[in-house]
Amino acid sequence: MIKKLVLLISGRGSNLQSILRACQTGQIIDTKIAAVISNRAAAPGLVVAQAAGIPTEVIDHRAFPSRAEFDIALQQQIDQYAPDLVVLAGFMRQLTDAFVEHYPGRLVNIHPSLLPAFPGLHTHARAIAQGVCWHGASVHFVIPELDAGPVIIQAAVPVHTSDDPAKLGARVLAAEHEIYPQALSALLSGRCKLEEGRVYWSDPIPSCANTAINPVVITPS
Ligand code: GRF
């Protein structure tokens, strides 16, 4: 049976592109992107989706009097596609607890830092300002707390003294494009599972060309 993803975006859509490529090339098998939903009509990622023949929807958050009402509309739209996973791919909206709790174990996000370091915005500038040696990206299950929740996979990249936020951001983004398809492939095939609030991988993760580390493989006892 073909599994279905619904992707939520707000902008560029480069993670959408990496996930789409993974579905097309067989890195992610037996899976289709059922829809891409954006809260911004001008999101360039919508064009990427349309070019690939993926249904797109725009639900403009500004048309709703409250965050809760926007989230209800978003949830109704998503549920029409009955997705196996709801994938946040640069979706720049904080979600209500009710929305998050509607998708237990089915809502995932990518964040451009090594969580729990640097939740929130401007992560690359903050990493440089803090003088950290390593920065990176995390794919994680979404919980009501912002940029928290069980980590599925992380990739670390070095921070160079010559970095500015753009240079460091480009290095992190290349890592994002590797780890999001890996995480989705593993979740969809059951090689990676959420059990009692922790993530377990049943086999080693393929190493990432652009990244320095991969998570430890833990098997539940
Ligand atoms: C990525 O850096 C992602 O980690 C963050 O938003 C950005 C989205 O980029 N959540 P794109 O739209 O996928 O190119």
Side-chain angles (χ1 to χ4, degrees), residues 8-12 36-47 50 56-62 70 74 90-93:
L8 306 188
I9 66 165
S10 298
R12 179 177 54 186
V36 171
I37 303 176
S38 173
N39 65 312
R40 290 185 194 282
L46 289 170
V47 180
Q50 284 155 4
T56 59
E57 318 255 3
V58 175
I59 306 177
D60 188 336
H61 59 279
R62 294 169 304 185
F70 168 72
L74 182 61
F91 186 64
M92 303 305 284
R93 296 282 307 163

Side-chain angles (χ1 to χ4, degrees), residues 55-196:
T56 59
E57 318 255 3
V58 175
I59 306 177
D60 188 336
H61 59 279
R62 294 169 304 185
F64 294 85
S66 70
R67 194 177 286 283
E69 282 156 285
F70 168 72
D71 279 9
I72 288 167
L74 182 61
Q75 183 181 308
Q76 284 170 348
Q77 205 61 46
I78 293 169
D79 289 352
Q80 287 190 9
Y81 295 96
D84 295 277
L85 287 177
V86 179
V87 178
L88 306 182
F91 186 64
M92 303 305 284
R93 296 282 307 163
Q94 285 186 33
L95 296 161
T96 54
D97 293 6
F99 180 94
V100 172
E101 285 159 5
H102 184 68
Y103 300 103
R106 290 200 295 143
L107 182 59
V108 295
N109 182 41
I110 189 158
H111 181 74
S113 79
L114 292 172
L115 291 173
F118 309 122
L121 298 174
H122 311 301
T123 57
H124 311 313
R126 287 157 63 205
I128 291 169
Q130 284 287 314
V132 297
C133 299
W134 294 94
H135 185 43
S138 308
V139 179
H140 64 97
F141 285 103
V142 176
I143 61 170
E145 188 187 338
L146 183 67
D147 297 329
V151 167
I152 300 163
I153 186 170
Q154 291 184 310
V157 302
V159 182
H160 302 314
T161 47
S162 57
D163 273 344
D164 58 25
K167 281 189 201 164
L168 180 55
R171 199 174 303 125
V172 171
L173 193 64
E176 292 185 33
H177 296 161
E178 292 196 40
I179 61 172
Y180 219 172
Q182 287 181 347
L184 296 175
S185 163
L187 288 170
L188 290 159
S189 65
R191 285 180 291 121
C192 173
K193 285 197 170 77
L194 180 65
E195 283 174 21
E196 293 172 6

